[in-house]
Amino acid sequence: MLVRIFMGASWAAADRQEDYAFDALPAVGHKIAIAYDDGWEVATVRDVVHRLTDPETAADIAILVSVPVASGNVADALPLAGLDGVSAKTPGVSVPKTASPWGS
């Protein structure tokens, strides 16, 4: 789905960015990493808007994100390096499985 990104503290003060293809719509509070030729930026989703027009066509979607924080350069590791096939194993903490009201 195509999602239009706006960056800023509010919709009224936001700057329109580009349209990006998403497999799943990010929720408020999610982080988005945007790659560029010379680095990347990370922003937090502040709001999501769906514009419903014709039920026979796709809805228009816009997200408002915070002003992004930029990386140093493209050689910096992305926070989502695992998705890029980077095999830098980080130490993890073992968490015991607990009972759940929904079963196992």
Side-chain angles (χ1 to χ4, degrees):
M1 75 185 83
L2 280 181
V3 176
R4 181 158 298 159
I5 295 181
F6 292 83
M7 289 182 180
S10 68
W11 286 107
D15 292 325
R16 178 182 169 199
Q17 303 300 304
E18 300 293 325
D19 292 350
Y20 292 92
F22 283 79
D23 292 331
L25 186 64
V28 172
H30 282 180
K31 305 282 191 254
I32 296 178
I34 303 169
Y36 298 103
D37 290 339
D38 59 348
W40 52 271
E41 296 179 329
V42 176
T44 303
V45 176
R46 294 175 175 251
D47 198 8
V48 179
V49 174
H50 300 263
R51 179 175 60 192
L52 303 178
T53 53
D54 181 350
E56 299 300 318
T57 61
D60 296 324
I61 302 169
I63 60 174
L64 175 66
V65 299
S66 65
V67 175
V69 175
S71 74
N73 63 47
V74 78
D76 291 343
L78 286 173
L80 304 174
L83 296 177
D84 295 328
V86 176
S87 61
K89 184 162 175 69
T90 58
V93 176
S94 177
V95 179
K97 186 174 179 181
T98 60
S100 166
W102 296 278
S104 45

